[in-house]
Amino acid sequence: MKRILASFSTLILFTMLFAGIASAHVVVFPKETIQGSYEKFTVRVPSEEESPTIKVEVKVPENVEISRTLPFSGWKSELTKDADGKVISVIWTATADGLSSTEFGEFNMQGKVDNAATTIIWKAIQTYKDGSIVEWIGDEKSEHPASVTTVKAVPANATVAADGDVESADSTSSDLPLYLSIAAVVLALLSLIVSSVRKAR
């Protein structure tokens, strides 16, 4: 019985370890966004080799327009553009030691989602100091899958503002009870003040 329990415990341990390794992918967040919105995309990069990660390149799909990046200490960013001036890839290169095997980095970029987009497939290339390269370009079942962001249509009761925020038409109506309550309190106070002044006379 003890041998069975020991074997079972070992199996569970290896399963957990394998799941941890398998889940350590380059992932772009958020996993869901809205058509036509301006979004901050965060590229989470785990370093899995003994050699440090020194370069990360993210290919920019046709259905999203990336315009800028957020500075990240120890790294420099570069926007690669095509002949028409559209950003087709974002490259982060380490200016110091890079990411060790026990570290991960989060690189931020901002852009606009296409009005007709349904999914954004982010293909990424991770380069290590020893020259080895991992291409995160496969499908979801592959060893090195590309990250996917699902794009949803703008809700029927909402609009996308100029700054990219999704504004719900219900927001005003949902605040109506609060406004009425505040008005009632103000009127009650005014009534109390008027009553006090009359009694004082």
Side-chain angles (χ1 to χ4, degrees), residues 25-29 42-48 53 56 72-73 75 92 98-100 102-108 126:
H25 300 324
V26 170
V27 181
V28 178
F29 296 95
T42 299
V43 186
R44 181 176 296 171
V45 181
S47 201
E48 300 177 297
T53 294
V56 178
F72 184 59
S73 179
W75 293 73
W92 288 273
L99 303 173
S100 72
T102 59
E103 297 177 327
F104 72 92
E106 290 189 332
F107 305 91
N108 294 293
Q126 183 176 9

Side-chain angles (χ1 to χ4, degrees), residues 22 26-27 39 42 53 62 70 83 87 93 95 97 105-106 125-127 140 149 153 169 173 182 190 194:
V26 170
V27 181
E39 187 71 78
T42 299
T53 294
E62 288 290 331
L70 184 69
V87 176
T93 306
T95 56
D97 297 330
E106 290 189 332
I125 300 173
Q126 183 176 9
T127 303
E140 59 181 3
T149 298
S173 60
I182 294 174
L190 288 174
V194 171

Side-chain angles (χ1 to χ4, degrees), residues 1-59:
M1 184 65 178
K2 290 183 178 179
R3 289 181 179 178
I4 295 175
L5 289 175
S7 299
F8 186 67
S9 299
T10 302
L11 178 61
I12 292 177
L13 178 61
F14 275 108
T15 301
M16 292 175 65
L17 287 173
F18 179 77
I21 293 173
S23 64
H25 300 324
V26 170
V27 181
V28 178
F29 296 95
K31 299 298 289 180
E32 289 187 358
T33 188
I34 301 293
Q35 292 176 343
S37 63
Y38 287 87
E39 187 71 78
K40 182 185 81 170
F41 295 102
T42 299
V43 186
R44 181 176 296 171
V45 181
S47 201
E48 300 177 297
E49 306 291 341
E50 289 301 319
S51 180
T53 294
I54 59 168
K55 183 180 177 182
V56 178
E57 179 177 3
V58 175
K59 303 292 185 180

